[in-house]
Amino acid sequence: MGYEEENFKWSDSECLENYVDWDSPACEGIDLTYLFEHGYARLNVGTRDNRAPHKTGNFPTATGKCHFRIDDAANFVARPFRQLYDDFQPGEPLDSLPDYVASRETPQTNPELAKRFPLKII
């Protein structure tokens, strides 16, 4: 596909080493050796009684509740993905209500690009 960045040349092991947040509590007791020996690992995400972090609220909103409309919302990278974006927390203002944003490569939004790249990966 023409990618030249170094991380596209990494092996599976290098991807695991660099992209998994091994210091996360969910990975406690899991390392590459364990994965190679067992082929899989169950993340330490808790039990059905305690794995839902927002079942009693604790949302990062003024009320602590989930809001579908948030005035003064700002863009940020959610915690599970933050290890890859230490320097990318833009904080630009967002619309108060969620909205649908069409893909940049659909026949409707960019017919020429869609012809060039017809494969759609979901």
Side-chain angles (χ1 to χ4, degrees):
M1 293 185 151
Y3 297 117
E4 297 297 328
E5 291 85 0
E6 188 61 31
N7 56 325
F8 286 105
K9 299 172 187 167
W10 288 346
S11 66
D12 292 345
S13 295
E14 289 172 311
C15 286
L16 286 168
E17 290 170 16
N18 290 290
Y19 286 132
V20 175
D21 183 3
W22 296 103
D23 295 327
S24 167
C27 291
E28 186 177 336
I30 303 168
D31 59 17
L32 280 177
T33 303
Y34 183 93
L35 285 177
F36 286 129
E37 288 175 2
H38 296 89
Y40 70 95
R42 181 167 173 22
L43 294 178
N44 303 310
V45 293
T47 67
R48 66 180 177 176
D49 296 323
N50 66 8
R51 69 176 162 223
H54 298 297
K55 71 179 179 182
T56 59
N58 296 327
F59 286 89
T61 62
T63 64
K65 297 178 180 179
C66 177
H67 293 230
F68 289 102
R69 178 189 172 113
I70 302 175
D71 294 319
D72 301 322
N75 192 8
F76 72 98
V77 178
R79 178 166 282 129
F81 307 105
R82 217 171 268 171
Q83 70 263 20
L84 303 174
Y85 297 96
D86 289 335
D87 299 325
F88 184 67
Q89 295 287 321
E92 71 264 9
L94 297 175
D95 290 335
S96 297
L97 291 171
D99 195 8
Y100 170 75
V101 178
S103 170
R104 297 180 313 205
E105 299 175 4
T106 66
Q108 295 79 20
T109 58
N110 193 329
E112 291 303 312
L113 198 56
K115 284 181 195 173
R116 187 170 164 210
F117 300 106
L119 180 64
K120 294 181 175 82
I121 300 174
I122 298 176

